[in-house]
């Protein structure tokens, strides 16, 4: 033991150097930048050292400006689904940075190079995302989860305080997708596709006016928005507590809707329909 403590610092230095070639995502000191786009979209730029990954580039120009300002070499473009407000910048960014486009198995993704499927890991320079299939908003919608940082990129599946409209899938699919997300660690940080949080929570409060957790969260969100700050990320714990779309089985929500004896899917469907006409 005493001998071990006397290992010369040069040897320790060599050991550390060896370790540093195999740094995990966390040790890489990853940063995340929110790039607002098209009014209420967020594009996310993950960066480390001088490399980057962009998620759901709604448009090219703010991304190209950001990576130029930060001297970042882009390594990949990730897409959660094919809607233009998530892929609009794909081809121009790919052309200018030679980055591969990784997204769901859907020919509607412009310039798709690599398909990301549930159960498969997507690795970019040692940064490994888990892929979750989360249909409902669209049939091929996926989410990317980065376990080492507990970062979830949910696109238009789970929103802060809400969920995406069901355009192509079924209510059942969307409910299953959200329940899958709900199994991630509670301290997961949720980076969703849009700044819809205030409207989502106003809706949530309209169906449950006496819910103190929603009241408090809405007050916090209003405060942030009044200072033009993003409300993203939220944590999964906050969502489980206040997002009605993750609480379809909660007796308090069922009671507020007068649906005490309804199934989880019936409650979810009702809440989604009420939100559509809110
Ligand atoms: Zn969408
Ligand atoms: Fe969207």
């Amino acid at each position: 033991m005493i001998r071990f403590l006397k290992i010369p610092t040069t040897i320790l230095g060599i050991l550390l150097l060896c370790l540093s070639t195999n740094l995990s995502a966390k040790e890489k000191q990853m940063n995340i930048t929110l790039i607002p786009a098209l009014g209420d979209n967020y594009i996310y730029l993950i960066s480390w050292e001088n490399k980057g990954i962009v998620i759901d580039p709604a448009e090219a120009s703010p991304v190209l400006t950001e990576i130029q300002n930060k001297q970042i070499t882009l390594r990949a473009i990730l897409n959660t689904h094919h809607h233009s407000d998530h892929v609009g910048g794909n081809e121009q960014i790919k052309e200018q940075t030679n980055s591969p486009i990784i997204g769901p198995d859907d020919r509607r993704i412009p310039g798709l190079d690599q398909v990301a499927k549930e159960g498969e890991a997507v690795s970019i320079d040692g940064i490994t995302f888990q892929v979750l299939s989360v249909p409902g908003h669209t049939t091929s919608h996926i989410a990317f989860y980065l376990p080492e940082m507990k970062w979830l990129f949910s696109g238009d599946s789970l929103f802060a305080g809400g969920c995406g409209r069901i355009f192509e899938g079924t209510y059942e699919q969307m409910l299953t997708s959200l329940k899958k997300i709900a199994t991630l660690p509670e301290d997961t940080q949720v980076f969703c596709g849009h700044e819809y949080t205030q409207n989502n929570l106003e809706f949530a409060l309209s169906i449950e006016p006496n819910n103190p957790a929603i009241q408090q969260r809405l007050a916090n969100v209003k405060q942030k928005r009044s200072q033009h700050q993003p409300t993203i990320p939220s944590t999964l714990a906050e969502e489980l507590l206040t997002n009605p779309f993750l609480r379809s089985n909660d007796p308090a929500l069922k009671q507020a809707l007068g649906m005490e004896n309804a199934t989880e899917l019936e409650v979810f469907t009702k809440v989604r329909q009420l939100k559509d006409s809110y």
Side-chain angles (χ1 to χ4, degrees), residues 121-132:
V122 169
S123 274
I124 301 132
D125 282 348
I127 295 184
T128 304
F129 296 86
Q130 287 174 6
V131 180
L132 281 75

Side-chain angles (χ1 to χ4, degrees), residues 40-41 56 81 83-86 137 155-156 159 193-194 196:
D40 58 30
N41 276 80
D56 279 357
H81 66 294
H83 285 159
S84 61
D85 61 320
H86 298 255
H137 179 69
D156 292 356
F159 286 135
H194 292 266
Y196 289 160

